[in-house]
Amino acid sequence: MPMLDAPGTDRSAIVSALRAELKAQGLDAFIVPRYDAHQGEYVAPHDERLAFVTGFSGSAGMAIVTPETVALFVDGRYVVQAANQCAEAVFSHHHLFNEPPEYWLAAVAQKGWKIGFDSMHLPPVWFDRFERGLEGSGAAMVATASNPVDAIWTDQPAAPQGQIEPFPLQFSGRAAGDKISDLATELTRREADLLVETQPDNIAWLLNVRGSDVAFNPVPNSFLLLQSSGQVHWFVSDQKLDADVTDHMPENVSVQAPDGFLSTLSDLTAPGQAVIFDPDFSPTAVKQVLERTGAKGVPVNGLLSKTKARKNTTELEGLRACHIRDGIAWTEFCAWLAAQVQKQAEPVTEREAEQRVLAFRRAQDGFIHESFNTISAADGNAAMCHYATEANNTVPIQPRGTYLLDSGGQYDTGTTDATRSFSFGPQRPDGYDRAYTAVFKAFHALATLRFPAGTQGHHIDAICRRPLWDLGLDYDHGTGHGIGHRLSVHEHPQRIGKPYNPVDLMPGMVMSIEPGYYEAGRFGIRIENLFEIVEADDGFLEFSNMTWIPIQTDMLMPDMLNQSEIDWINDYHAKVLRQVGPHLSPLALRWAQTACATLTK
């Protein structure tokens, strides 16, 4: 079979081959999630099974292959992208939340159907949803001995073997041995014998290591078991390790081969033992092992994730520092873009702009690589929330057009993520200024919010959306996500959005605030900064800004703004000039002084 990104790939041939393989394995249908064995958002080329089968390259989705169709499910960020990438002649298109996969499957499954799934690639929460949906249908979920997609993917890339490096104490702020000891104590407090951890960023944080197995994520793919005694079993390929890493490890960490993960879990568990696992972010295979050994599986959401999410003093200082460097790169880019777009002879392309912001970041001390695939989108392309340019991209950023850039970096001391929307002249699409002003008002509403301890993300999501809702507008993505400390740009478990998420927002967490508005084929708008959650003197919590990039004010409609919003943007811009101004080139400083000029009503 061809590589997933090969031009002219015949998806119908791939689907036909997959159906033949399913028949050979005695299956009637097969679930193809975006997940790998670690249930992460970003996966290595080796694990891009959903993209191989469907051609859909987004970071979230699922397909169900049946004898009659291939149903593709994506969320609101990817509806337009999926329609462009996946032909309706081969795939049926569905919304991941409005038409959940388990309901769709229950409606089409026939009595006696065997519905295959890879138990290492489907978390228990999804397995349970499918099983409940199929109750009474006469169809059954069947774990496959091998993945049918791998069987037909003849030129599948090799599994990643990126080198692992120690993450020094000067950046981590806490020794791995101390983190392990605290976690083992927590297991004892919960009367648990073992913790199963399969999220690479959690393991990297716990052991103070970083890696390079997956693009944009400086972590190694691995698995980990922690006994209440403090003994750690780390399942990672020895090809990724050298003496610097092994010498750095505490003595109670035993390194073992990844293929021994499930068998060791089986060996370490016995009837009645309590084993903690995350039902959202661990393989169903873990739960199945515990059922076979008679151990008591204890589903706990984000035990290690919640600890990691609350940054220590060193981590927070590092994040603040790298955001100043990132703000310098961003402001240099904004000044360059404003000058270049006006040059009619050779229009700047989306791809050129993407490469230029990367070049400005590379000029900053401590920059390592991007934290995600930059979204550089002109005009209607910006309506695709996770749009990505191609190598041969020639889409121009026009003087009379609009543009959106969502971009971030991995630095030695932290991770960044920000979005800005641009226009380059007075002529903009009808409705753009009104929507842009509403997005800014939404951003301001949450950025200035004070809230009591115990508040969760879904409690405050509507406060951000209200200025858009007042105009009959909305956006089909989350309002805010957590961010890692030189780890994943999307960090669990804290988030702000419509769906229920029972995680308290707490001091030390770092979150994005990123409302937007999108009109298919016309434009997309988003404003995004990162914020640290801090505690005020009265015990209430607040958002403290970390991102220092000018917010374009040309598109704001003063009559829609109140004095508090005007005062906030003026104060923010004064701080931007103080933070990044002394480090800018003369051209960028002149641009920033104009961009940050006082706004009046």
Side-chain angles (χ1 to χ4, degrees), residues 470-544:
D470 284 345
L471 302 180
L473 310 178
D474 200 4
Y475 51 94
D476 196 5
H477 59 71
T479 294
H481 58 81
I483 195 162
H485 175 250
R486 199 179 149 194
L487 289 170
S488 174
V489 73
H490 290 164
E491 182 174 80
H492 297 278
Q494 71 276 26
R495 64 179 182 269
I496 303 170
K498 293 178 182 179
Y500 174 68
N501 185 44
V503 176
D504 290 355
L505 302 180
M506 304 178 75
M509 288 180 173
V510 178
M511 305 282 302
S512 72
I513 295 177
E514 50 180 303
Y517 178 68
Y518 313 90
E519 286 196 13
R522 299 188 68 225
F523 58 78
I525 300 166
R526 188 160 62 250
I527 298 173
E528 176 187 17
N529 277 20
L530 298 187
F531 293 83
E532 171 190 347
I533 298 177
V534 299
E535 184 175 2
D537 293 340
D538 62 359
F540 265 57
L541 303 182
E542 301 173 335
F543 291 108
S544 177

Side-chain angles (χ1 to χ4, degrees), residues 123-145:
V125 66
W126 270 107
F127 174 80
D128 292 344
R129 286 173 62 171
F130 280 115
E131 274 221 318
R132 287 194 301 268
L134 292 171
E135 286 179 357
S137 69
M141 296 282 286
V142 177
T144 59

Side-chain angles (χ1 to χ4, degrees), residues 106-257:
V108 303
Q110 298 178 21
K111 185 176 181 179
W113 267 21
K114 294 181 179 179
I115 300 163
F117 71 100
D118 189 323
S119 62
M120 284 299 292
H121 298 163
L122 198 70
V125 66
W126 270 107
F127 174 80
D128 292 344
R129 286 173 62 171
F130 280 115
E131 274 221 318
R132 287 194 301 268
L134 292 171
E135 286 179 357
S137 69
M141 296 282 286
V142 177
T144 59
S146 61
N147 194 299
V149 177
D150 294 351
I152 66 166
W153 194 355
T154 56
D155 54 357
Q156 182 179 20
Q161 298 291 344
Q163 287 299 296
I164 299 174
E165 62 183 35
F167 192 56
L169 191 61
Q170 70 184 89
F171 295 148
S172 68
R174 197 125 194 278
D178 293 338
K179 296 179 185 179
I180 292 168
S181 178
D182 285 354
L183 192 55
T185 299
E186 178 63 14
L187 292 186
T188 300
R189 187 187 73 79
R190 291 173 176 259
E191 299 182 342
D193 300 283
L194 189 69
L195 169 70
V196 179
E197 183 55 68
T198 62
Q199 292 184 73
D201 61 331
N202 282 350
I203 298 169
W205 177 85
L206 180 68
L207 299 182
N208 283 345
V209 296
R210 296 297 186 266
S212 56
D213 278 341
V214 179
F216 312 118
N217 290 265
V219 298
N221 284 344
S222 65
F223 307 101
L224 182 141
L225 300 174
L226 170 64
Q227 296 175 269
S228 58
S229 65
Q231 180 63 41
V232 174
H233 304 264
W234 186 24
F235 300 88
V236 63
S237 170
D238 59 9
Q239 296 182 43
K240 305 177 185 180
L241 302 172
D242 59 22
D244 287 344
V245 178
T246 52
D247 292 347
H248 162 82
M249 282 295 116
E251 291 184 358
N252 55 331
V253 176
S254 169
V255 176
Q256 299 168 235

Side-chain angles (χ1 to χ4, degrees), residues 321-322 324-330 332 357-368 410-412 583-584:
C322 74
I324 293 175
R325 285 175 274 164
D326 206 55
I328 296 166
W330 260 95
E332 292 283 352
V357 73
L358 176 58
F360 282 122
R361 278 202 176 94
R362 283 175 172 158
Q364 300 301 311
D365 291 340
F367 175 73
I368 302 170
Q410 296 285 4
Y411 291 81
D412 52 2
H583 311 286
L584 297 174

Side-chain angles (χ1 to χ4, degrees), residues 268-283:
L268 291 177
T269 53
Q273 285 188 319
V275 179
I276 293 176
F277 68 95
D278 192 321
D280 290 321
F281 295 100
S282 62

